Amino acid sequence: MSDLPVIGAQLTVLDLDRHRDWLFEKNRDLELPEFCMADILRSPDAFIDMALKKLDGWNGRLGIHGPFSGFELDVKDRELRAVVQARLNQALDVCERLKARQMVLHSPYDPWDTHNLDNGPKDREKSISAILDTLKPAIARASDLGVEMVLENIKDTDPGLRRRAVEAADSAALKLSVDTGHALWAHVSAGAPPVDRFVSDAGELLGHVHLQDADGYADRHWVLGEGETNFHAIFKALGELDVKPHLIVEINDFSRVPESAAYLEALGLGQ
């Protein structure tokens, strides 16, 4: 049992009391989702203060979900890019105050990119440049803070696209994330590789995993065990890596987070 990876979770600040014992018993990894919202990033003090108070004595690895609504990281308009950079900087302010070590960002890639980025000889290069130009100030500050930003697959059908962007950044402040439900949708509905291949493609750049169950038709965020995800294959791929990514249960019903971890424990995959 002690050799099995410890499963963490995404929980709102308001849900921390309900799951305090479960979270503290193994200092499980935690991700706070509130700070993806622009309104909260403008005035985060109340949520930061609550989190610091509720997490006093906890020694796990803390992350936040960064902002994503209304923009993509490959934005090419310089004026709009400045707005995105300001929002990312607000989120890094939160990381600094919480001493969070990780922040989740959304990949801009989608099935259109998979099929069209080879139309022009430099289209792939331009795509990566746009992402890294947007992220340049955030990467520099995250590096100074010791924060690892992780790029999560959303509509991605080719896991190599965002991997190559992270490789080009060549910074410990930018790594990869795999969301199991998003990858299952991409596999079943859009012809992408199976979920475990997203993990193996990320390789040693993998810093974070969102664990959810789904059916491949939609982004369900079901309790683990209620869908069609092959968690045996996923954890086999994880076990072949030297890195130890944050393993975050990300489901819609926060009250059933421990149930999802117990499902993986019953399979002999986690604790």
Side-chain angles (χ1 to χ4, degrees):
M1 174 66 74
S2 61
D3 293 333
L4 295 176
V6 175
I7 308 301
Q10 183 184 97
L11 296 168
T12 71
V13 173
L14 299 178
D15 282 286
L16 292 177
D17 289 336
R18 174 165 47 181
H19 297 300
R20 178 184 172 85
D21 291 344
W22 178 83
L23 187 67
F24 277 57
E25 66 175 348
K26 295 183 184 292
N27 285 313
R28 299 176 186 273
D29 292 339
L30 173 65
E31 181 182 316
L32 299 174
E34 290 93 340
F35 302 104
C36 72
M37 292 181 274
D39 288 345
I40 289 179
L41 285 178
R42 291 189 194 98
S43 302
D45 291 358
F47 289 92
I48 291 173
D49 291 344
M50 277 193 293
L52 290 173
K53 181 178 180 180
K54 292 174 185 289
L55 293 173
D56 184 38
W58 170 77
N59 295 305
R61 300 184 295 182
L62 179 62
I64 70 169
H65 200 305
F68 62 87
S69 182
F71 64 83
E72 298 288 0
L73 291 177
D74 60 355
V75 59
K76 297 173 182 62
D77 185 310
R78 293 183 182 275
E79 292 183 13
L80 296 179
R81 182 181 294 162
V83 174
V84 175
Q85 290 170 334
R87 191 73 71 223
L88 295 175
N89 197 49
Q90 288 177 322
L92 287 170
D93 286 341
V94 172
C95 290
E96 183 175 15
R97 291 181 59 187
L98 287 175
K99 294 181 170 58
R101 67 176 304 278
Q102 197 170 75
M103 180 166 74
V104 180
L105 301 177
H106 280 188
S107 167
Y109 289 116
D110 61 25
W112 177 270
D113 297 311
T114 299
H115 290 275
N116 286 278
L117 275 180
D118 290 320
N119 284 345
K122 293 187 177 181
D123 285 354
R124 286 177 180 262
E125 179 183 326
K126 290 176 182 177
S127 169
I128 290 173
S129 292
I131 293 170
L132 297 188
D133 285 348
T134 301
L135 286 177
K136 185 177 180 179
I139 289 173
R141 187 176 180 203
S143 181
D144 290 342
L145 294 175
V147 172
E148 179 182 83
M149 299 184 295
V150 291
L151 201 56
E152 175 189 5
N153 59 303
I154 306 300
K155 304 173 187 176
D156 307 58
T157 56
D158 177 358
L161 291 179
R162 77 188 195 294
R163 171 177 49 76
R164 283 186 281 273
V166 171
E167 289 172 341
D170 192 24
S171 170
L174 187 64
K175 300 293 184 181
L176 288 165
S177 167
V178 170
D179 183 295
T180 60
H182 300 167
L184 184 63
W185 165 82
H187 174 56
V188 173
S189 297
V195 182
D196 59 294
R197 298 294 177 87
F198 277 74
V199 173
S200 57
D201 185 89
E204 301 305 314
L205 291 172
L206 185 66
H208 173 275
V209 179
H210 271 153
L211 297 164
Q212 57 147 312
D213 216 340
D215 56 3
Y217 182 78
D219 187 24
R220 302 294 195 179
H221 290 271
W222 284 335
V223 174
L224 274 58
E226 291 188 344
E228 300 174 12
T229 306
N230 186 342
F231 288 105
H232 285 284
I234 292 167
F235 276 80
K236 182 178 184 296
L238 287 169
E240 293 170 352
L241 304 179
D242 291 330
V243 291
K244 304 298 180 186
H246 294 213
L247 300 175
I248 301 295
V249 172
E250 189 196 34
I251 57 175
N252 288 333
D253 188 347
F254 291 118
S255 71
R256 299 179 68 187
V257 160
E259 184 181 334
S260 285
Y263 172 76
L264 293 176
E265 183 174 348
L267 294 180
L269 300 176
Q271 58 179 312

